[in-house]
Amino acid sequence: MAKKTIEDVQWQGKRALVRVDFNVPMNDALEITDDTRIRAALPTITYLAGHGAKVILMSHLGRPKGERNEKYSLQPVAEHLQGLLSDIQVSFVDDCVGDKVKAAVEALRDGDVLVLENVRFYAGEEKNDKDLAQAFAELGDVFVNDAFGTAHRAHASTAGVAAYLPSVAGFLMEKEVSIMGEALANPKRPFVAIIGGAKVSDKINVIENLLPKVDALLIGGGMANTFLAVQGNDMAKSLVEADALDTARKLLDLAKEHNSRLLLPTDVVAAKQFAADAEYTVRKVSELAPDEMALDIGPDSIKAFQAEIKGAKTVIWNGPMGVFEMPAFAKGTFAIAEAMVEADATTIVGGGDSVAAVEQAGVAEKMSHVSTGGGASLEFLEGKTLPGVAAIEDK
Ligand SMILES: Nc1ncnc2c1ncn2[C@@H]1O[C@H](COP(=O)(O)OP(=O)(O)OP(=O)(O)O)[C@@H](O)[C@H]1O
Ligand SMILES: O=C(O)[C@H](O)COP(=O)(O)O
């Protein structure tokens, strides 16, 4: 990528102020239930420590609304990080600015790691407050942004601080932006995108941005119902967004305009109740009974989608094909994941439920890239410039 990275800096003895995205899920006992985001930051942390930097990590956790709240403390995350980094000394300080934090930074030896308390305990963080950004900047010599998952937020610790320090990307940020950026700007073809999830309205901009670029766009999940309704199918009790019918029509026209093939399901798995134990049956999309709803793509659609994926050289996927939380309606989603694993292609899974699905299927390691960003990867696929990326210096 055309941005400076941690490899462009001489680190020995310098203070690396690193924004990471340690916004990890936790249970009521404050145990981390998925540490993917912490592990994803390790290459940057070990590189910096290994090159003699004093490593100062800042992150948000949850949405504490500008107030200190122990439920959102990063202390358990710091402890978990120490468990992952047995050769490196990791300490924690229960604030993220001020004299106590400055003293903790002073006490660091080259190669040590310090985790600061949640930056969202200060209201200025989300307001991108200049004073807070400056207070962060005083803690480091160079700012490293490795928080791709938060790069769509213009906050004091993601964007504001970059005005006061030399700013470079960490390895995770570099990987996310270069793999997804390259796929969008210069894809190996055929380029196939698969979009699913509940609503068309959440993904309009993604579809608009992808249609001119892709060779084929496969649409599944609840959002496909709205397109199928526009095409004259009676979707019965299925989730259809009445407000998005015009939009769906325009997107179908846009596909024609760009000569991109837009594939919709031809059959679905239908049930009478939205329930895990509901009886289900396979129906052509034109043959739903009045009391049925479509909850997954059907076997013919799976075959058609798989054939597209099999022939592709680049595949990007965002959003499940059905209600994958219920095993009866998860086959379409898992079949897409399997097809991507088998394809001889660059395979990218962007954000949210599709990432959960590839993890459940145990195939995350077999994809070229699984993004650590939910909202951030969606905005990236929309073609937006992410403030956290824009703030990093160009090469
Ligand atoms: N046919 C369907 N009918 C109703 N709900 C559906 C259908 N297909 C998928 N869903 C639901 O859509 C939800 C996922 O939609 P969403 O748009 O949030 O996905 P996503 O792109 O992965 O988003 P996020 O990043 O917010 O997780 C899942 O909970 C799934 O059960
Ligand atoms: O989990 C995420 O998507 C990021 O950490 C950003 O969190 P936010 O939506 O609370 O800003």
Side-chain angles (χ1 to χ4, degrees):
M1 89 176 161
K3 294 280 180 186
K4 286 193 182 157
T5 76
I6 50 174
E7 288 180 310
D8 296 313
V9 178
Q10 288 295 333
W11 287 107
Q12 188 62 49
K14 291 214 178 92
R15 296 170 302 162
L17 179 65
V18 190
R19 178 52 155 105
V20 285
D21 188 337
F22 283 171
N23 185 26
V24 289
M26 284 186 171
N27 62 18
D28 290 341
L30 301 185
E31 291 158 347
I32 296 160
T33 54
D34 177 358
D35 70 350
T36 304
R37 281 179 163 177
I38 303 175
R39 284 185 288 105
L42 294 180
T44 294
I45 297 169
T46 51
Y47 178 92
L48 292 170
H51 285 76
K54 300 175 170 76
V55 186
I56 302 140
L57 301 178
M58 56 178 178
S59 177
H60 73 289
L61 174 67
R63 294 179 174 170
K65 302 198 177 108
E67 281 170 20
R68 178 172 279 276
N69 179 340
E70 292 313 313
K71 202 173 129 196
Y72 299 110
S73 171
L74 279 162
Q75 184 158 14
V77 174
E79 285 162 10
H80 188 85
L81 180 66
Q82 179 67 85
L84 295 173
L85 293 173
S86 48
D87 297 336
I88 296 176
Q89 174 72 44
V90 179
S91 52
F92 172 75
V93 57
D94 67 356
D95 209 338
C96 60
V97 282
D99 289 342
K100 190 199 278 181
V101 180
K102 281 185 190 161
V105 170
E106 288 274 299
L108 290 174
R109 299 163 307 173
D110 294 351
D112 283 350
V113 173
L114 173 67
V115 179
L116 308 186
E117 185 52 287
N118 195 337
V119 289
R120 287 193 186 170
F121 285 179
Y122 287 85
E125 163 63 2
E126 292 183 67
K127 295 188 185 125
N128 197 2
D129 178 76
K130 283 204 172 95
D131 293 339
L132 185 63
Q134 249 169 323
F136 288 145
E138 281 174 26
L139 304 173
D141 299 308
V142 178
F143 173 60
V144 177
N145 196 342
D146 210 24
F148 177 77
T150 327
H152 57 316
R153 308 289 184 213
H155 293 173
S157 71
T158 61
V161 62
Y164 307 103
L165 286 177
S167 305
V168 302
F171 289 136
L172 175 62
M173 177 69 94
E174 182 192 22
K175 185 174 172 220
E176 294 263 14
V177 171
S178 61
I179 294 188
M180 291 203 278
E182 182 68 9
L184 292 181
N186 195 15
K188 283 181 273 164
R189 295 188 179 275
F191 176 18
V192 172
I194 310 143
I195 303 293
K199 290 168 152 188
V200 185
S201 48
D202 290 341
K203 309 266 167 94
I204 299 167
N205 298 332
V206 176
I207 296 174
E208 269 178 353
N209 187 42
L210 290 177
L211 271 177
K213 302 184 185 357
V214 298
D215 298 294
L217 182 69
L218 321 181
I219 295 187
M223 64 189 294
N225 300 333
T226 305
F227 289 94
L228 292 167
V230 166
Q231 292 183 331
N233 298 291
D234 180 356
M235 297 312 292
K237 294 266 181 292
S238 306
L239 173 77
V240 171
E241 270 177 287
D243 293 351
L245 288 167
D246 279 347
T247 304
R249 196 171 291 120
K250 282 187 196 132
L251 292 170
L252 289 170
D253 290 344
L254 190 69
K256 276 195 203 125
E257 216 175 278
H258 289 289
N259 268 333
S260 350
R261 286 178 316 112
L262 192 154
L263 273 74
L264 291 164
T266 53
D267 61 347
V268 293
V269 180
K272 292 191 168 103
Q273 287 97 28
F274 187 90
D277 59 354
E279 276 181 37
Y280 56 90
T281 181
V282 173
R283 298 270 188 225
K284 296 263 169 245
V285 291
S286 54
E287 291 173 2
L288 279 175
D291 56 352
E292 287 175 343
M293 60 187 102
L295 295 178
D296 195 8
I297 58 173
D300 289 349
S301 311
I302 289 179
K303 264 192 214 132
F305 285 14
Q306 279 175 332
E308 293 290 337
I309 295 167
K310 204 173 162 196
K313 285 285 170 218
T314 304
V315 186
I316 288 188
W317 179 27
N318 179 288
M321 295 291 99
V323 185
F324 78 105
E325 298 90 338
M326 302 179 190
F329 311 111
K331 290 190 191 78
T333 300
F334 290 130
I336 294 298
E338 287 299 336
M340 284 177 73
V341 169
E342 280 161 28
D344 181 18
T346 302
T347 49
I348 299 170
V349 186
D353 286 311
S354 15
V355 171
V358 296
E359 270 159 15
Q360 260 180 49
V363 296
E365 303 293 321
K366 295 184 180 155
M367 300 290 173
S368 311
H369 183 62
V370 177
S371 180
T372 55
S377 71
L378 210 55
E379 291 197 22
F380 196 90
L381 296 181
E382 288 175 2
K384 284 193 188 149
T385 303
L386 308 183
V389 178
I392 301 166
E393 284 165 42
D394 291 333
K395 268 224 199 256

